[in-house]
Amino acid sequence: MSSLSLQSRQLERASSHWSILLRRLPRAIPSTNGVAGSARTSGAVTWFHPSAIGAFALCNTCCRPLIPVQQLVTSKMSGISPPVVAASDAEVFMGLLNRVKLDLAEDQKKDGHLESAFCRLKEVLEYNLTGGKKNRGLSVVASYRQLASPSQKTEDNITIAMIIGLCVELLQASLLVADDIMDNSTMRRGKPCWYKKEGVGLYAINDSFLLKSMIYELLKKYCMEKPFYLNVLELFLQVSYKTELGQALDLLTAQPDKIDFSSFTEERYETIAKYKTAFYSFYLPIAAAMYMVEIVSKEAHASAEAILLEMGQFFQIQDDYLDCYGEPEVTGKVGTDIEDNKCSWLIVQALKIITPEQRTLLEENYGCQDPAKVACVKAVYTELNLQTVYQQYEDKSYARLMSLIDNHSTSLPKVIFLELAQRLYKRQK
């Protein structure tokens, strides 16, 4: 048998197994505490596992055989249910990538001339959607569970919440691919940035477009018949627009070879953090879940926004702090805010308390790629004791956030915001 025929048969068998799995997928989705509910099917083998994300391909040139990675033994003796293989939300969530790949395989069949383009998109998805904590996408699922009535918590609806969460992660991936190019970053999630991968380069710009376009393909395929479709679609469009405005402001404030500390104000920084980070990282996931359960009032969304934008701003401040003081082996990336002349929280705080001599040092050394000049900037930060300033800010910010939750979460369960806050504060990456 030819290699091509063998690969074709492997793909056919793999697709068959995945079709069976995906019909059962909602039953593997946890109903409480991220633990799977009881299994309702009896079978010797389950083909799902998060590590199987790269287990099948879209075309013969990429195809690898699918291998069963888990045994699920079912006993019918005395009607006793066997132990259930637990699956966390994160595992099932990442398994949905395989459903996306099946969608792409179907799209490819409509036009075989696009085979190589679909193979490229598959590679882009695998590289840029694996790794990371997936907090944004999983927040959609967690929030939906908190907001939905018992009758709304169907297997289908939980699966749709996960698909919308995957769309949030696609937006995140699209933004990061583009942002890494603009910031000339080298590492992301413990591996080279996508554009730094051999053979990618500036083709990554179009790849970021593809990732973003996938959002709207998935929403159309899985949500178009849902009553919340237009609200969620408009939400993604609005949040994308706001985020891109925030990125534009960030770039305009941090122009290379132009050190102008006069624009590094607290007001400018807060605007960048709100638009570039807070809307898509915090408001988008919760607002999407709200629309899913038909919470559409402007008052409810304004209350959620007030809390979530505060969280998002602090999240960006944490990122700025970890960019300078975090360990790359923990954060998964090498900080470059000083080299990139960024209007970061640290430089804004420094400019409020520095002496004229220290300001001169910063003006001479900030925004330079020379490691010695970067070290000089960090030495000024140490003199100003900015690590202690940050720790004090963190405590005050947490107290302010708790007050916001008390005052604004009258129409929404406080636990949604408290769980986010617990994951956020004191994080190290």
Side-chain angles (χ1 to χ4, degrees), residues 342-405:
K342 288 291 185 179
C343 177
S344 80
W345 185 82
L346 291 170
I347 188 67
V348 170
Q349 299 309 307
L351 292 171
K352 289 159 61 176
I353 56 177
I354 53 174
T355 65
E357 292 77 14
Q358 290 170 327
R359 185 183 181 96
T360 299
L361 278 174
L362 290 180
E363 288 174 340
E364 292 173 348
N365 293 281
Y366 201 76
C368 299
Q369 300 296 320
D370 184 346
K373 293 192 173 187
V374 173
C376 182
V377 173
K378 291 185 176 181
V380 174
Y381 286 175
T382 299
E383 291 173 11
L384 297 172
N385 205 15
L386 289 189
Q387 286 180 284
T388 300
V389 173
Y390 169 79
Q391 290 161 3
Q392 292 170 347
Y393 174 86
E394 184 172 33
D395 293 338
K396 290 178 182 177
S397 178
Y398 186 82
R400 184 166 61 252
L401 181 59
M402 292 302 105
S403 177
L404 278 171
I405 292 173

Side-chain angles (χ1 to χ4, degrees), residues 60-108:
N60 294 329
T61 57
C62 304
C63 188
R64 301 188 295 275
L66 183 67
I67 301 171
V69 294
Q70 227 178 22
Q71 296 296 321
L72 181 61
V73 181
T74 303
S75 170
K76 297 182 180 179
M77 295 177 60
S78 305
I80 299 173
S81 298
V84 176
V85 177
S88 71
D89 272 359
E91 290 172 335
V92 179
F93 182 77
M94 290 308 297
L96 286 175
L97 272 179
N98 293 295
R99 176 178 288 193
V100 173
K101 292 175 192 174
L102 284 177
D103 291 341
L104 293 176
E106 289 301 313
D107 289 341
Q108 180 190 318

Side-chain angles (χ1 to χ4, degrees), residues 37-305:
S38 60
R40 300 186 183 94
T41 57
S42 64
V45 178
T46 175
W47 294 80
F48 168 72
H49 190 275
S51 63
I53 285 170
F56 87 97
L58 298 175
C59 64
N60 294 329
T61 57
C62 304
C63 188
R64 301 188 295 275
L66 183 67
I67 301 171
V69 294
Q70 227 178 22
Q71 296 296 321
L72 181 61
V73 181
T74 303
S75 170
K76 297 182 180 179
M77 295 177 60
S78 305
I80 299 173
S81 298
V84 176
V85 177
S88 71
D89 272 359
E91 290 172 335
V92 179
F93 182 77
M94 290 308 297
L96 286 175
L97 272 179
N98 293 295
R99 176 178 288 193
V100 173
K101 292 175 192 174
L102 284 177
D103 291 341
L104 293 176
E106 289 301 313
D107 289 341
Q108 180 190 318
K109 290 178 184 177
K110 297 172 187 176
D111 191 341
H113 297 295
L114 289 174
E115 181 178 294
S116 0
F118 279 112
C119 282
R120 170 57 172 240
L121 178 52
K122 170 183 169 286
E123 184 183 2
V124 174
L125 286 168
E126 287 185 347
Y127 194 91
N128 293 288
L129 261 74
T130 54
K133 301 177 289 295
K134 302 296 178 288
N135 282 340
R136 293 167 181 83
L138 291 172
S139 290
V140 179
V141 186
S143 300
Y144 181 79
R145 285 204 178 96
Q146 293 290 345
L147 294 171
S149 66
S151 64
Q152 291 174 317
K153 294 179 185 177
T154 64
E155 294 173 344
D156 176 64
N157 285 342
I158 296 293
T159 303
I160 294 298
M162 287 201 168
I163 288 169
I164 292 175
L166 186 60
C167 289
V168 175
E169 291 297 324
L170 282 165
L171 179 59
Q172 157 85 342
S174 168
L175 294 168
L176 293 183
V177 167
D179 189 62
D180 286 341
I181 298 171
M182 289 180 271
D183 289 347
N184 198 28
S185 299
T186 57
M187 298 291 291
R188 172 70 65 182
R189 294 172 175 169
K191 58 187 179 183
C193 297
W194 173 243
Y195 82 101
K196 285 289 188 182
K197 191 171 182 290
E198 185 177 357
V200 177
L202 293 182
Y203 291 174
I205 295 171
N206 192 66
D207 295 333
S208 74
F209 297 161
L210 284 171
L211 288 167
K212 189 173 179 181
S213 295
M214 281 297 301
I215 296 169
Y216 304 105
E217 288 295 305
L218 289 178
L219 290 178
K220 180 180 178 181
K221 182 176 180 66
Y222 292 102
C223 303
M224 193 168 77
E225 302 302 322
K226 303 292 183 181
F228 55 77
Y229 173 62
L230 286 179
N231 280 329
V232 170
L233 179 64
E234 189 174 72
L235 176 67
F236 270 93
L237 292 169
Q238 289 179 340
V239 167
S240 297
Y241 178 54
K242 290 177 186 292
T243 305
E244 287 153 11
L245 285 173
Q247 176 72 352
L249 189 60
D250 182 34
L251 294 171
L252 290 169
T253 309
Q255 296 183 43
D257 304 321
K258 183 181 178 182
I259 307 301
D260 180 13
F261 287 155
S262 65
S263 62
F264 284 24
T265 64
E266 198 125 48
E267 181 181 15
R268 174 66 66 93
Y269 177 81
E270 289 176 358
T271 303
I272 292 172
K274 178 169 76 172
Y275 281 87
K276 181 183 175 181
T277 301
F279 275 108
Y280 93 89
S281 295
F282 289 86
Y283 178 65
L284 172 61
I286 311 304
M290 292 170 68
Y291 282 129
M292 283 190 70
V293 299
E294 300 179 18
I295 298 176
V296 297
S297 76
K298 291 182 179 179
E299 293 77 13
H301 279 266
S303 294
E305 184 178 298

